[in-house]
Structures are given as structure tokens and as C-alpha cells.
């Protein structure tokens, strides 16, 4: 099990201090909105740690904390800051028109309107092995628990959309073969690039802008009221996967990393997500809106929020690399070059 | 999924999804290995992973309806 991370400010200190002891009263903690609620290091580490109690937990942390009312109250206040930040960032956005039969077109319009720089083009043509390693370290925050945040939606859906979600998730979890679980393929790629693939090993090095991309999924997944948004998030995630993953795989081969372990994760996603994107956009997202028309706005918001946070994340990586430094937080251990 | 046979769906501007049970064979009868229960077959002609779709139809801006085209007038 991973260790609790080093705190980065008042919120994450408060959270890690609490979790270091047995469940007890949670003091009133002042939660003020940071300058950047979509990327703040302290806010997003605190939220990430609180969400992680619902996934794999931490070494030495009492598992009863997961449902401690005081701690959930603190989490709700952090979530409110994050949610307000999201709404503010999307306030100028006009959702495309959509209904159950045009959901695929509306989601595509959101993707087409996305003007974020292309990380996959950069890695394919110019990426170094060190860039690839950083990329994998960032992505490990999600990819080592790939599909889990969207699985929270399963008990919130019924009928055809539930079956369609499971159709996608079945593949994500390897179709019954543990060696083909996508999180395992990702771990294999990390090891092939000489990285530590232990769950949570790199948490101290991940900036808030990266943690926010995972917190977004946990926020949408863990709240039933956001079931439309987690479905929209998944649909756009699948729709923006085949092409970039093909590029990542070609870049790795260009760098001479041709082993199956290095490339299988990316190769698998080229063809798997060419299937998933249709199932997720048409049958899952469209199917959900057919049953619950009132959710159409949330589905689109989930997709747009994904594009927004992924864009900020990609800009962070490319900006750091263009300036010639690491996109990860500094650490004494320099855990990346294992 | 129907229990009687495969169900094939052309998706708008995208591939043909085939939901099992099915067998995929080449013209010499050799079986083409399939990883998923459902597969996407390229119908735009531009995939680098034929017969499977690899998403290239999007880059190409390829267009086709899901429903059958009307017969010529
Ligand atoms: S239909 Fe997708 S690549 Fe041809
Ligand atoms: Fe996957
Ligand atoms: Fe997928």
C-alpha cells in the first residue's frame, strides 16, 4: 500500500495529520479558494488523498476514515471549491445542442472546439525517453487504477446504458484475463521504461494540475448527482484515445522501445477505443439521455470539463519541456530514474 | 445482445461494430484473431490496422450515415 504523501500546504497538512492518527474529531479547517482552484497543489493533493481512501487507501491509515462524517464534511468543502472553479472556467462555454440521437455529434463538437496543444504529436515526433517517462509518471495517477472512477457509475445506471458501460469496462479490466487488464498493461509499460510501477509510488512528484484530472473523475464518479457527467467524461475520454495512443506507440518505436511490454498498452488502446468510443458516445451517453433527458447538460459538461483539465495538463507538460525543465515536482529521491 | 447471431451496426461517420457471436476469417479461411467480444471493422478504408478500425476515419473527416443510403432515384 502507498505511503501518505508529503503535505504541500495547510489543507494537505491537515488531511495527512488527521489520517496519521485514529479516527477522531475533525477540527474546523478554514477552506479558502486558492488562486487556481483547477490546479492548486495543496487543494488537489488534499482532495486526492481523501478520494484515495475509496480506492486503495494508504499504509498505516485506519480504514474507518473512509466514511468518517467529519472528514467527509471537510471533503465536501474542498469539492465545493473545485466545483466552483470548474463552473467559473466553463462560464463562457455554450454547450452544443444535443439529444439522445445526436449525442455523438455534440461530443465530437466539444472535441473539435478544443484548442489545447497536442501532447501526442509532440511525443510522437520530438519526445525523448525522459519525456516519455515523465508522461507515464503523470498518467500513473489515473492509469494504475484505470477505469475504476467510471465504475462508480455502474450502480447508478440501469437498463441499456448500464449494459453498455459494462461492455466498455469489461475490456478495460482485461476481458477476464488479469494480464490484459489495462492498468496492468500500463504498469508493464512503466517497467519497460525503467520506472517504478508500484501503485502510488510517484504521488509526491505529481503537480496539482495532474491530480486535478483524476480528482475530476472521482468527483463525478462518487456523486450520484454527477452520473451524467461521469458518463460524458468517459465518452469523450474514449473518443480522444485511439489517435493519440497510435502516436504514443509510434514515438516509442522511433526511440527503439519496441518490446511488447513497452507498446502493448498503447497498441491495445488504438483498436479497443475505436470500439469504445462508439459504444460510449452513442449507446451509453445517448442511451442515458434517452432514459433521463434532464441529464443532457451534465453529460456535455462532463465531457467539456475533461477537455478543459486535460488541456491545462498538456500545456503544463509542454511548457515545462519547452523551457527545458521537468514537468514533475522536485523530490530528493528523484524517484523517476529508478 | 441478441442470442440468435451477430449484430452489425454502422456507426455514423465511423466503423461497423460487430457484436458476437461471430468468427472473423480471411479469404483463405484462416481465422483472424479477435481480442474483444465486440469488434470495430473499418469502413472508411484508411485504417492502418485493417480489417479493424483504428480511429483514422476521424482524422480523414470521413462521413457516412448510420442508416442505409436511399436507393438511387
Ligand atoms: S472506419 Fe475507423 S479507420 Fe476506417
Ligand atoms: Fe483502457
Ligand atoms: Fe477504452
Amino acid at each position: 500500500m502507498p505511503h501518505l504523501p508529503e503535505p504541500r500546504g495547510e489543507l494537505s497538512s491537515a488531511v495527512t495529520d488527521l489520517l496519521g492518527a485514529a479516527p477522531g474529531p475533525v477540527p474546523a479547517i478554514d477552506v479558502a479558494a486558492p488562486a487556481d482552484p483547477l490546479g492548486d497543489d495543496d487543494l488537489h493533493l488534499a482532495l486526492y488523498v481523501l478520494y484515495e481512501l475509496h480506492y486503495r487507501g494508504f499504509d498505516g491509515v485506519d480504514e474507518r476514515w473512509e466514511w468518517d462524517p467529519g472528514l467527509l464534511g471537510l471533503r465536501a468543502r474542498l469539492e465545493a471549491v473545485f466545483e466552483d472553479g470548474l463552473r467559473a472556467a466553463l462560464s463562457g462555454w455554450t454547450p452544443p445542442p444535443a439529444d439522445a440521437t445526436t449525442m455523438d455529434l455534440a461530443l465530437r463538437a466539444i472535441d473539435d472546439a478544443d484548442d489545447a496543444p497536442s501532447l501526442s504529436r509532440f511525443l510522437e515526433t520530438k519526445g525523448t525517453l525522459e519525456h516519455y517517462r515523465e508522461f507515464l509518471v503523470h498518467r500513473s495517477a489515473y492509469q494504475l487504477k484505470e477505469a475504476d472512477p467510471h465504475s462508480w457509475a455502474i450502480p447508478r445506471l440501469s437498463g441499456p446504458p448500464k449494459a453498455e458501460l459494462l461492455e466498455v469496462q469489461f475490456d478495460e479490466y482485461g476481458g477476464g484475463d488479469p494480464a490484459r487488464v489495462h492498468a496492468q498493461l500500463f504498469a508493464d509499460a512503466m517497467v519497460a521504461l525503467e520506472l517504478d510501477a508500484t501503485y502510488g509510488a510517484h504521488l509526491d512528484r505529481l503537480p496539482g494540475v495532474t491530480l486535478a484530472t483524476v480528482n475530476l473523475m472521482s468527483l463525478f464518479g462518487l456523486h450520484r448527482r454527477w452520473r451524467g457527467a461521469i458518463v460524458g467524461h468517459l465518452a469523450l475520454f474514449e473518443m480522444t484515445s485511439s489517435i493519440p495512443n497510435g502516436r504514443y506507440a509510434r514515438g516509442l518505436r522511433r526511440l527503439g522501445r519496441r518490446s511488447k511490454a513497452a507498446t502493448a498498452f498503447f497498441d491495445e488502446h488504438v483498436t479497443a477505443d475505436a470500439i469504445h468510443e462508439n459504444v460510449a458516445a452513442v449507446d451509453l451517453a445517448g442511451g442515458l439521455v434517452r432514459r433521463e433527458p434532464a441529464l443532457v447538460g451534465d453529460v456535455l459538461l462532463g465531457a467539456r470539463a475533461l477537455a478543459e483539465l486535460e488541456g491545462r495538463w498538456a500545456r503544463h507538460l509542454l511548457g515545462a519541456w519547452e523551457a527545458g525543465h521537468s514537468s514533475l515536482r522536485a523530490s530528493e529521491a528523484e524517484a523517476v530514474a529508478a | 445482445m441478441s442470442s440468435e447471431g451477430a449484430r452489425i451496426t454502422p456507426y455514423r461517420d465511423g466503423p461497423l461494430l460487430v457484436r458476437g457471436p461471430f468468427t472473423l476469417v480471411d479469404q483463405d479461411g484462416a481465422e483472424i484473431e479477435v481480442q474483444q467480444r465486440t469488434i470495430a471493422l473499418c469502413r472508411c478504408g484508411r485504417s492502418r490496422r485493417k480489417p479493424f478500425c483504428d480511429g483514422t476515419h476521424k482524422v480523414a473527416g470521413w462521413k457516412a450515415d448510420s442508416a442505409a443510403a436511399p436507393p438511387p432515384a
Side-chain angles (χ1 to χ4, degrees), chain B residues 14-15 42-47 53-57:
Chain B
C42 176
R43 68 172 174 139
C44 78
R46 305 196 186 217
S47 172
C53 165
D54 69 353
T56 305
H57 58 267

Side-chain angles (χ1 to χ4, degrees), chain A residues 56-140:
Chain A
R56 309 291 194 274
F58 292 97
D59 205 21
V61 170
D62 192 313
E63 296 184 349
R64 288 172 298 175
W65 273 121
E66 181 187 359
W67 294 103
D68 181 88
L71 198 62
L72 290 173
L74 172 60
R75 195 189 83 192
R77 280 181 287 146
L78 303 182
E79 287 175 320
V81 172
F82 183 26
E83 241 183 90
D84 288 348
L86 273 175
R87 295 211 188 268
L90 303 188
S91 61
W93 168 64
T94 311
D99 62 23
T101 61
T102 56
M103 190 48 80
D104 52 326
L105 297 174
L107 291 166
R108 211 188 302 160
I110 290 175
D111 183 32
D112 290 345
D114 184 15
D115 58 0
S118 172
L119 189 64
S120 61
R121 277 184 211 281
F122 177 91
L123 282 170
E124 177 186 16
T125 55
K126 294 195 257 245
T128 63
L129 216 42
E130 207 44 49
H131 290 141
Y132 265 96
R133 290 193 178 112
E134 286 196 14
F135 166 64
L136 291 184
V137 165
H138 282 285
R139 278 301 198 209
S140 69

